[in-house]
Amino acid sequence: MPLEDSLNRHKDSLLAALEVDDRARLDAQLPELRSADIAEILQDLLEDEDALRARALLDCLPLERQASVIGHLHGEEQLAFTAGMGDDRLQAMLEEMGADERADLFKVLDDDRREALLRRMAHQEREELKRLASYEEGTAGALMTSDYVAIPAGMTVSRAMMRVRQTAPDAETVYQLYVIDPEGRLAGTMSLRQLMVARPGARVDDLMIHDVIHTTVDTPQEEVARVVARYDLLALPVVDEARRLVGIVTHDDALDVVESEATEDIHKGMSIGALEDGVSRVPLWSLYRKRVTWLVLLVFGNLLSGAGIAHYEATISAQVALVFFLPLLIGSGGNAGAQAATLMVRGMATGDVGVRDWGKLLGRELLVAGSLGLTMALAVAPIGVFRGGETVALVVAISMIAIVLFGSLLGMCLPFVLDRLGWDPATASAPLVTTMIDASGVLIYFSIATLLLSGG
Amino acid sequence: MPLEDSLNRHKDSLLAALEVDDRARLDAQLPELRSADIAEILQDLLEDEDALRARALLDCLPLERQASVIGHLHGEEQLAFTAGMGDDRLQAMLEEMGADERADLFKVLDDDRREALLRRMAHQEREELKRLASYEEGTAGALMTSDYVAIPAGMTVSRAMMRVRQTAPDAETVYQLYVIDPEGRLAGTMSLRQLMVARPGARVDDLMIHDVIHTTVDTPQEEVARVVARYDLLALPVVDEARRLVGIVTHDDALDVVESEATEDIHKGMSIGALEDGVSRVPLWSLYRKRVTWLVLLVFGNLLSGAGIAHYEATISAQVALVFFLPLLIGSGGNAGAQAATLMVRGMATGDVGVRDWGKLLGRELLVAGSLGLTMALAVAPIGVFRGGETVALVVAISMIAIVLFGSLLGMCLPFVLDRLGWDPATASAPLVTTMIDASGVLIYFSIATLLLSGG
């Protein structure tokens, strides 16, 4: 298994061979490497601003391999290679690519280049490319490929088998077959496994599953991935508004979606907008913009906490020991609340938690948060006695329970409220929740303090 | 596509049929539902503490279907069904399951039950089950299945094809074939697609890929999933220490791992330990334990902040307006720092960020955090003038830049330091990072204030 070290060794060796133009060594070594690995070496070179050697390395590969490697790169990186290619070579490479990767590459090219390429294509090829490239990013349409095996309804098993053999080199997967009616509508599906053990004279219509799990072109990609995961699918067929089969989303693409959606959710949980690339590659300006928005918005939330503190100046001067416990109380409330919000947001994203579960989850959170608050109160009470006497200890302990309980319930409910308002529940990020709890925590703490200390 | 609503309709209709013991309606409706959907209906019933009807519903299914549905449930839920089954029926159901699901179910049974079942099995079957059940949770061994198609080296294409047809009903996937030498070692691999288009008289040895991507039984599951994702694999073969093929991990299991590891990472990011089940199902006591540990540990960090504030009491009394900005400054630093930590932790988890990238990322973070600090300083300075005059504004602005910069760099570096110490980088959770920044922020703010205000 190619670990980072082994990949670096390969890279060094390849670059050394390139240096002295040792074609024999390059030709011997390159076939040993997988496209994903070569792509990573090229990415490394681009990150080191060594586009020249990256291009030279790519040129050493056969065209089919070049297409596969380019397919593993991100848009910006692809442009670093295509910029120097003539239209002829680019067109030849596009032809070697899978339909979905071809469309992805096509989308990052500039208009002139697209026009030049489209003019060189046959009508059908052109229309298919334009169609695949037209779907909105993040939908099933943008994810799918048109390289699937379609079997006309009514075909016999033996003829379907011949069709599979013919399509084998081009199709993304030949292991799941889709039966279409004369209007191109999805009529059924069967696995190659079923086909292989079936009687050659039987008709596919009698073998296929009629009730096919499918999705539509405009379905969001996270939902597509969830269906693939739920039913352990090799591929999920995609239909248009007339139920015509227009593509399939394969298991490897679903896996990539789950990974990238999780990354997006994790970033959102910390009030970072969706990045268009990995954190080590995304432009600094973009990284700044995606982080600054909420940071500045939350300034106003934090000003509320400050105003709260200012409002209770008299209480604070009367009992300065109270300030000592302020960070502890609002910090604990914020942490417990962020935990509760995170549990809900992730539960909703994976489908584990639905809006109908709200009541039940509220009851559970009350119990857990109550226990958490009680534990923290017990932990902090002795310190309260030590720093400010028994009354302060009582104020701190009661405030701890109240703030942890309030914070947890706020954190738990916020994602549901946002969802209800048609917002993304993930907006209930840790920074937003903790800022809200900081401000309310100040009020809760000093209200309890004013009440108990003035009365005592 | 079965949405939540449609599933609920199905559930209601099934329960109504069950109520009046309408077998015809049950037999008509159940085959329309997929095992994953029936499993969800059973889960709903168990959550509503309606185990009786859940069992009755399961009993309506043919044995093979029961096995498939049970395979979709979690350990605790499986026990709710197996508890009432006799050994005969349980054994028959185990035989219908895939090898990996059989081992998973076996693991949750109690010792007496296991002994009773093992006694009923043939020697080979028993040894295989014991072996599969023996691997540690979270490793390739625990994830893999032994239902793969193995082709002995030297076989011809036509005989290999016959072997595929024979194994088809039992194997988890027949689409990737593994060639093994006489000692059982993994010698090569080929796809069914390659086999189908090959000359029948050719030998598999001449067609197969010799350099097979594989993993070992004790490899952590997140690494297994990463390899499957990187190379777009249908299945990843697993070998023992003698390079003997012992199982495969299929794409659908890898997808589940990516999803559950992401959930675990998201929870860890908020200082919540790994939950053994979904948030709506995990026992309350467990949820409490997984949340309380860090909350209590962080109390001590927060006490430092309190001690810092107490230490600067004189400065605060001299210029009370300073307290107004305290939550704002430490809050902003904490948020920026949590963002930086989260970006690194996720980058390291996906393999996007490596330890060797540290220097480059530090430079990037300096630039971005510097800009963030500057932006926030500009946003907050006017409020400083308004609340406390120009000197306070200056103190607040300089502190903002210093705290955001310090917080971001701390958040960025912490995951690398933890990784270096052999800890999980994900320990650099948002609560830990913000607590650390709160304490340091208090010191930075009041140091700057003391310096500038006493000098002014």
Side-chain angles (χ1 to χ4, degrees):
Chain A
M1 214 165 38
L3 302 160
E4 197 177 298
D5 286 348
S6 119
L7 207 58
N8 277 333
R9 260 202 317 281
H10 271 296
K11 180 184 160 190
D12 294 341
S13 159
L14 283 172
L15 290 181
L18 200 63
E19 198 69 44
V20 295
D21 203 20
D22 184 348
R23 283 299 306 213
R25 201 163 119 203
L26 286 166
D27 288 345
Q29 204 186 339
L30 280 170
E32 282 175 24
L33 282 166
R34 270 129 188 135
S35 300
D37 296 327
I38 299 180
E40 187 166 326
I41 291 175
L42 296 185
Q43 281 174 330
D44 276 359
L45 287 172
L46 288 184
E47 275 185 45
D48 299 342
E49 313 216 330
D50 196 354
L52 211 69
R53 287 203 287 179
R55 280 198 213 107
L57 208 54
L58 187 74
D59 286 342
C60 298
L61 297 169
L63 195 64
E64 191 189 335
R65 203 72 197 291
Q66 288 185 22
S68 160
V69 169
I70 290 280
H72 278 88
L73 298 175
H74 299 91
E76 282 297 315
E77 296 159 349
Q78 292 180 327
L79 283 180
F81 293 98
T82 57
M85 289 183 193
D87 288 344
D88 278 337
R89 178 165 159 211
L90 185 53
Q91 192 205 357
M93 207 182 64
L94 281 175
E95 277 171 15
E96 295 287 340
M97 295 180 111
D100 49 348
E101 289 171 346
R102 187 186 306 147
D104 289 339
L105 175 54
F106 186 74
K107 276 190 269 191
V108 300
L109 299 174
D110 65 38
D111 287 346
D112 290 349
R113 200 70 194 259
R114 289 195 212 184
E115 280 308 314
L117 288 167
L118 286 176
R119 271 198 303 273
R120 291 161 172 266
M121 291 179 189
H123 175 76
Q124 200 192 337
E125 198 185 352
R126 185 165 61 221
E127 291 310 307
E128 193 195 306
L129 178 57
K130 276 159 73 177
R131 184 172 60 80
L132 274 182
S134 70
Y135 296 106
E136 203 186 331
E137 271 311 302
T139 63
L143 209 59
M144 71 189 185
T145 179
S146 51
D147 294 331
Y148 52 84
V149 185
I151 307 281
M155 220 181 216
T156 60
V157 166
S158 59
R159 287 203 51 207
M161 205 69 183
M162 258 170 61
R163 168 71 65 105
V164 171
R165 276 179 223 272
Q166 283 159 4
T167 335
D170 287 324
E172 192 90 358
T173 180
V174 298
Y175 304 133
Q176 196 67 35
L177 316 172
Y178 302 96
V179 181
I180 51 172
D181 71 12
E183 279 76 44
R185 285 187 303 244
L186 181 61
T189 186
M190 59 188 307
S191 66
L192 179 58
R193 194 194 288 219
Q194 284 175 284
L195 196 69
M196 283 175 66
V197 296
R199 196 171 47 80
R203 290 196 182 274
V204 290
D205 307 55
D206 300 325
L207 298 163
M208 69 187 187
I209 297 169
H210 293 265
D211 171 29
V212 191
I213 301 172
H214 63 276
T215 193
T216 54
V217 284
D218 50 359
T219 304
Q221 61 176 12
E222 57 267 38
E223 204 177 312
V224 170
R226 214 191 293 174
V227 174
V228 172
R230 181 181 178 100
Y231 299 108
D232 297 342
L233 302 178
L234 261 175
L236 177 65
V238 184
V239 300
D240 65 10
E241 60 288 342
R243 218 178 179 267
R244 278 186 303 252
L245 180 63
V246 288
I248 60 169
V249 175
T250 49
H251 63 94
D252 48 322
D253 291 331
L255 187 58
D256 293 342
V257 168
V258 171
E259 178 108 0
S260 67
E261 288 286 334
T263 300
E264 203 179 305
D265 287 351
I266 286 174
H267 291 170
K268 263 193 202 153
M270 227 52 74
S271 299
I272 306 167
L275 300 178
E276 65 270 33
D277 202 346
V279 62
S280 58
R281 284 185 305 272
V282 69
L284 287 179
W285 165 243
S286 171
L287 193 57
Y288 165 80
R289 260 188 320 128
K290 298 296 168 72
R291 285 173 67 177
V292 82
T293 318
W294 271 101
L295 287 184
V296 169
L297 284 178
L298 292 174
V299 162
F300 300 98
N302 281 313
L303 284 175
L304 282 181
S305 308
I309 296 176
H311 177 75
Y312 285 103
E313 226 182 281
T315 312
I316 296 172
S317 342
Q319 187 60 275
V320 187
L322 288 178
V323 184
F324 179 83
F325 293 97
L326 181 64
L328 173 58
L329 290 170
I330 62 179
S332 301
N335 290 342
Q339 287 185 339
T342 301
L343 287 169
M344 289 308 121
V345 171
R346 180 60 182 168
M348 289 165 92
T350 56
D352 176 40
V353 166
V355 174
R356 75 202 150 101
D357 300 324
W358 183 81
K360 183 188 156 203
L361 287 162
L362 185 70
R364 287 170 60 94
E365 186 63 29
L366 262 171
L367 283 171
V368 173
S371 315
L372 290 174
L374 203 62
T375 312
M376 311 277 287
L378 291 175
V380 86
I383 311 169
V385 176
F386 177 74
R387 289 282 312 192
E390 281 175 24
T391 320
V392 168
L394 189 67
V395 169
V396 170
I398 294 179
S399 301
M400 182 63 99
I401 297 177
I403 293 174
V404 167
L405 203 55
F406 171 81
S408 300
L409 294 182
L410 177 79
M412 197 225 109
C413 295
L414 194 58
F416 288 98
V417 174
L418 291 169
D419 188 64
R420 208 56 194 267
L421 296 174
W423 288 43
D424 184 351
T427 313
S429 63
L432 176 63
V433 169
T434 53
T435 304
M436 289 172 78
I437 294 168
D438 280 359
S440 355
V442 168
L443 296 184
I444 294 174
Y445 179 37
F446 289 124
S447 304
I448 293 174
T450 312
L451 206 72
L452 289 184
L453 292 177
S454 65
Chain B
M1 215 165 36
L3 300 161
E4 199 177 296
D5 286 348
S6 119
L7 207 58
N8 277 334
R9 260 202 317 279
H10 271 295
K11 180 183 159 189
D12 294 342
S13 159
L14 283 173
L15 290 181
L18 201 64
E19 199 68 45
V20 295
D21 204 19
D22 185 348
R23 283 299 305 213
R25 200 162 120 204
L26 286 166
D27 288 345
Q29 204 187 337
L30 280 170
E32 281 175 24
L33 282 165
R34 269 124 190 140
S35 299
D37 296 327
I38 299 179
E40 187 166 326
I41 292 175
L42 295 185
Q43 281 174 330
D44 276 358
L45 287 172
L46 287 184
E47 275 184 45
D48 299 342
E49 313 215 330
D50 196 354
L52 212 69
R53 286 204 288 179
R55 281 198 211 106
L57 208 53
L58 187 74
D59 287 343
C60 298
L61 296 169
L63 196 64
E64 192 188 335
R65 203 71 198 290
Q66 289 185 21
S68 160
V69 170
I70 290 280
H72 278 89
L73 298 174
H74 299 90
E76 282 297 315
E77 296 159 350
Q78 292 180 327
L79 283 180
F81 292 99
T82 57
M85 288 183 195
D87 289 342
D88 279 337
R89 178 165 159 212
L90 185 51
Q91 192 204 357
M93 207 182 64
L94 281 175
E95 276 170 16
E96 296 288 342
M97 294 180 111
D100 48 347
E101 288 172 346
R102 186 187 307 147
D104 288 340
L105 175 53
F106 186 73
K107 276 190 268 191
V108 301
L109 299 174
D110 63 40
D111 288 346
D112 290 349
R113 200 71 194 257
R114 289 195 211 183
E115 281 308 313
L117 288 167
L118 286 177
R119 273 198 302 273
R120 290 159 172 268
M121 291 179 189
H123 175 75
Q124 201 192 336
E125 197 186 352
R126 184 165 62 221
E127 292 309 307
E128 193 195 306
L129 177 57
K130 276 160 75 176
R131 185 172 60 78
L132 273 182
S134 70
Y135 296 106
E136 203 187 329
E137 271 312 302
T139 63
L143 208 59
M144 71 189 186
T145 178
S146 51
D147 294 331
Y148 52 85
V149 184
I151 306 282
M155 219 179 215
T156 60
V157 165
S158 59
R159 288 204 50 208
M161 206 68 185
M162 259 170 63
R163 168 70 65 104
V164 171
R165 276 178 223 272
Q166 283 158 5
T167 336
D170 287 326
E172 192 89 0
T173 179
V174 298
Y175 304 132
Q176 196 67 35
L177 318 171
Y178 302 96
V179 181
I180 51 173
D181 71 12
E183 279 76 44
R185 286 186 303 243
L186 182 61
T189 186
M190 59 189 305
S191 66
L192 179 57
R193 191 195 290 218
Q194 284 175 283
L195 196 69
M196 282 175 66
V197 295
R199 196 170 48 79
R203 290 195 181 274
V204 290
D205 307 54
D206 300 325
L207 298 163
M208 70 187 186
I209 297 169
H210 292 266
D211 170 30
V212 191
I213 301 172
H214 63 275
T215 194
T216 53
V217 283
D218 50 358
T219 303
Q221 61 177 10
E222 56 267 39
E223 204 177 312
V224 170
R226 214 191 294 174
V227 174
V228 172
R230 181 182 177 100
Y231 300 108
D232 297 341
L233 302 177
L234 260 176
L236 176 65
V238 184
V239 300
D240 66 9
E241 60 287 344
R243 217 176 180 266
R244 281 186 302 252
L245 180 64
V246 289
I248 60 169
V249 175
T250 49
H251 63 94
D252 49 321
D253 291 331
L255 186 59
D256 293 341
V257 167
V258 171
E259 177 109 1
S260 67
E261 288 286 332
T263 299
E264 204 180 304
D265 287 351
I266 287 174
H267 290 171
K268 264 193 201 153
M270 226 52 73
S271 299
I272 306 167
L275 300 178
E276 64 270 33
D277 202 346
V279 62
S280 59
R281 284 185 306 272
V282 69
L284 287 180
W285 166 242
S286 170
L287 193 57
Y288 166 80
R289 262 188 318 127
K290 299 295 167 74
R291 285 174 66 177
V292 81
T293 318
W294 271 101
L295 287 185
V296 169
L297 283 177
L298 292 174
V299 162
F300 299 98
N302 281 313
L303 284 176
L304 282 181
S305 309
I309 295 175
H311 177 75
Y312 285 103
E313 226 182 278
T315 310
I316 296 171
S317 338
Q319 187 61 274
V320 186
L322 288 178
V323 184
F324 178 84
F325 292 98
L326 182 63
L328 172 58
L329 290 171
I330 62 178
S332 301
N335 289 342
Q339 286 185 338
T342 301
L343 287 168
M344 289 308 121
V345 171
R346 181 60 182 168
M348 289 166 91
T350 57
D352 176 41
V353 167
V355 174
R356 75 201 152 101
D357 300 325
W358 183 79
K360 184 188 155 203
L361 287 162
L362 185 69
R364 285 171 61 94
E365 185 63 29
L366 262 170
L367 284 171
V368 173
S371 315
L372 290 175
L374 203 62
T375 311
M376 311 277 286
L378 291 174
V380 86
I383 310 169
V385 176
F386 176 73
R387 290 282 311 190
E390 281 176 21
T391 320
V392 167
L394 189 66
V395 169
V396 170
I398 294 179
S399 302
M400 181 63 98
I401 297 176
I403 294 173
V404 167
L405 202 55
F406 171 82
S408 300
L409 294 182
L410 177 78
M412 197 227 112
C413 295
L414 194 59
F416 288 98
V417 174
L418 291 169
D419 187 64
R420 206 60 193 266
L421 296 174
W423 288 42
D424 184 351
T427 313
S429 63
L432 176 63
V433 169
T434 51
T435 304
M436 288 172 78
I437 294 168
D438 280 357
S440 354
V442 167
L443 295 184
I444 294 174
Y445 179 37
F446 289 124
S447 304
I448 292 174
T450 312
L451 206 72
L452 289 183
L453 293 177
S454 66

